[in-house]
Amino acid sequence: MTEFWVSSGHHLAGRTEAGGLAVTDALLLAYLARPELVPPAEACAAERALHAALLADPRRPVSPAELRALADPDAVENWEVILGFRDRLLKARSIEAAYLDLVRGGTAGTPGLFLNQLVHLILRNALDGCDDPYTLRAAELFFRPQRVSLSGESTLLADAEIIEAREAGASASPLMAMFGAEPASELDVMTDENAWTYWSRSDAFTMALNVSANPRSREGLARAIEAWLRHLLALETRVEPLARIEDRDWRWFVGLDAEATRIGNALWRGEAADPEALTRVIALFRLTIPDTARVERTVAGHPIYLLLAMGPDKRVVLKPQNLVAGLPLAGTAA
């Protein structure tokens, strides 16, 4: 099997009997080594000592007195969040179970960075053995915000962090800038001819995805959604890309991001469609659940529509927790 997403830390996690991910000391140490968690140069001696102690024993309890000893109130708050997140992982029977607990209990107070790391890690487990680069590239939307570039008939998705780094640095071509081209146009767009190169650069996030002109891109996202729901909820689904929703009796929808949720809610309430807002919808899907016993009675047997949209800033920030919390399921599987 070809390796991918080494940066997820998948190789550092253990495995549960049910196929989930288990927290290991190596995984906790990888968190502690992240630049965001390493005490800055101006940190007090107590904070540096706390970090060193956790590096020596990443599971050690930390008393309130140790936190109160930190000189910077912001550092105290940061460490409370970090340690609360760590303790939540340690208490759960798997990393997947910890994520579900977070989503169902509300993610307020959990930094988006931590949530994205969990999704990256869990999705790597869910897609283990996947041999389709389109599915893997599309799955990056679950944990990497994207920037949209509209060019003719093409709607390109490129990694927002990569694009912003190019815009801030000197890597963008002066000639491209002169003609007003976006940095995304300098990235390789995944095609059937170059998709094989994804394996050698899966952790670089430097391939763009054409979600309008290349149907395999939308199919890839559909397969990623199926894998996510199968792995987290033991829920078998069929997800199909759509050009438009023609169902006049649509019973349920899930917005895959905040903008899509806003647009979908307006349509659901019967409000007149805002033409400008509708242009921001970049993908539609129909999700069906064969096991109707898993679905609320009023929706069972009917498709569920999924909407993906870009914000006014041309960013796409997919929220995978919406799929977990937003489906009309009669029961939940942890």
Side-chain angles (χ1 to χ4, degrees):
M1 182 192 73
T2 307
E3 186 55 88
F4 63 96
W5 295 355
V6 176
S7 59
S8 70
H10 179 257
H11 58 293
L12 300 176
R15 299 295 180 275
T16 69
E17 291 184 3
L21 296 167
V23 177
T24 63
D25 285 359
L27 186 63
L28 293 175
L29 288 170
Y31 270 105
L32 290 167
R34 287 191 61 90
E36 300 89 351
L37 302 188
V38 174
E42 65 273 16
C44 66
E47 184 177 357
R48 291 196 297 271
L50 173 59
H51 188 257
L54 287 168
L55 289 178
D57 179 7
R59 298 173 187 257
R60 73 182 288 274
V62 176
S63 69
E66 286 182 272
L67 293 179
R68 288 196 300 269
L70 305 186
D72 184 355
D74 289 337
V76 174
E77 184 177 347
N78 290 342
W79 278 104
E80 285 175 342
V81 171
I82 294 163
L83 293 169
F85 178 74
R86 179 203 65 172
D87 292 345
R88 199 159 196 167
L89 291 180
L90 291 175
K91 288 176 183 176
R93 67 176 182 272
S94 68
I95 291 174
E96 286 87 348
Y99 175 80
L100 287 172
D101 181 60
L102 268 171
V103 170
R104 290 168 177 164
T107 58
T110 302
L113 172 69
F114 288 2
L115 283 175
N116 286 342
Q117 288 174 346
L118 280 186
V119 172
H120 191 185
L121 182 56
I122 293 167
L123 199 52
R124 172 60 182 81
N125 195 27
L127 291 170
D128 197 36
C130 177
D131 59 2
D132 177 30
Y134 283 96
T135 297
L136 299 180
R137 173 57 185 90
E140 291 178 16
L141 273 70
F142 280 64
F143 55 90
R144 302 278 301 188
Q146 305 288 304
R147 272 268 296 272
V148 178
S149 175
L150 302 174
S151 176
E153 298 298 316
S154 296
T155 301
L156 302 181
L157 299 185
D159 189 90
E161 184 177 319
I162 298 298
I163 294 301
E164 287 158 11
R166 286 176 174 244
E167 288 176 336
S171 60
S173 163
L175 185 61
M176 298 296 286
M178 183 186 303
F179 288 100
E182 297 189 50
S185 61
E186 296 188 73
L187 301 180
D188 287 339
V189 179
M190 183 174 282
T191 65
D192 292 352
E193 288 70 35
N194 68 13
W196 64 272
T197 67
Y198 182 82
W199 300 108
S200 63
R201 54 164 120 175
S202 71
D203 287 292
F205 308 114
T206 54
M207 290 196 89
L209 198 65
N210 191 336
V211 294
S212 57
N214 189 337
R216 291 193 63 185
S217 298
R218 297 189 299 278
E219 286 287 347
L221 185 53
R223 302 292 81 77
I225 292 169
E226 291 171 354
W228 178 248
L229 294 172
R230 183 183 306 115
H231 186 72
L232 274 179
L233 303 180
L235 182 68
E236 290 295 334
T237 61
R238 175 62 183 167
V239 180
E240 305 165 86
L242 295 176
R244 62 187 61 84
I245 298 176
E246 297 178 342
D247 187 350
R248 294 184 178 274
D249 183 30
W250 55 309
R251 302 292 181 90
W252 202 270
F253 84 94
V254 174
L256 297 178
D257 58 274
E259 183 67 14
T261 300
R262 187 188 68 78
I263 294 170
N265 282 338
L267 295 173
W268 186 265
R269 292 190 296 264
E271 298 175 5
D274 177 357
E276 195 277 330
L278 291 178
T279 64
R280 295 203 287 270
V281 177
I282 61 173
L284 295 169
F285 300 91
R286 177 172 52 222
L287 180 150
T288 53
I289 302 173
D291 184 0
T292 55
R294 295 287 304 273
V295 188
E296 288 182 5
R297 182 177 55 81
T298 56
V299 185
H302 293 269
I304 297 162
Y305 295 98
L306 310 179
L307 284 67
L308 180 68
M310 62 177 172
D313 58 356
K314 293 187 178 181
R315 285 173 64 94
V316 176
V317 184
L318 191 149
K319 296 180 178 294
Q321 62 266 35
N322 289 8
L323 284 165
V324 174
L327 293 179
L329 301 183
T332 57

